[in-house]
């Protein structure tokens, strides 16, 4: 259990955000410094963690939808002898 407490300034918010997202595969266009600057001063570490987890979930759902569309398009245009492609679960 890690107690992160209330805001201690921009650098503290950035350290919390870095800790929360350390296992996330962030894109090159993600700048945690800019994100940290937008986090409300009243947010606790738990709040930041919850928002980051929600953002990750939304990104994953969006990517899954994109892959399903690509798979459907590939199946619609399938002319290879192997036939249609399927999503592995």
């Amino acid at each position: 259990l890690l107690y992160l407490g209330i805001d201690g300034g921009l650098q503290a918010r950035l350290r919390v955000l870095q800790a929360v997202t350390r296992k996330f595969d962030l894109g090159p266009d993600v700048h945690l410094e800019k994100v940290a600057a937008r986090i409300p001063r009243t947010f606790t570490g738990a709040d930041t963690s919850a928002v980051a987890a929600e953002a990750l979930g939304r990104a994953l759902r969006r990517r899954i939808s994109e892959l399903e569309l690509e798979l459907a398009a590939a199946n619609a245009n399938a002319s290879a002898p192997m036939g249609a492609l399927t999503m592995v679960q």
Side-chain angles (χ1 to χ4, degrees):
L1 182 62
L2 176 65
Y3 175 74
L4 300 175
I6 298 291
D7 181 80
L10 178 58
Q11 288 304 312
R13 289 192 307 269
L14 178 57
R15 284 192 306 272
V16 169
L17 191 58
Q18 288 169 332
V20 166
T21 61
R22 72 185 178 280
K23 293 185 179 179
F24 291 14
D25 186 15
L26 301 174
D29 59 335
V30 176
H31 303 285
L32 291 180
E33 298 83 7
K34 291 180 181 180
V35 175
R38 298 186 67 184
I39 296 173
R41 296 182 58 89
T42 56
F43 263 38
T44 64
D47 295 324
T48 302
S49 181
V51 170
E54 178 66 23
L56 177 63
R58 288 181 183 202
L60 289 171
R61 285 189 294 277
R62 183 176 59 243
R63 184 63 181 137
I64 288 168
S65 294
E66 291 170 356
L67 290 172
E68 288 174 341
L69 289 174
E70 290 175 22
L71 183 61
N75 283 334
N77 297 324
S79 61
M82 290 177 33
L85 302 173
T86 59
M87 180 80 71
V88 176
Q89 299 204 4

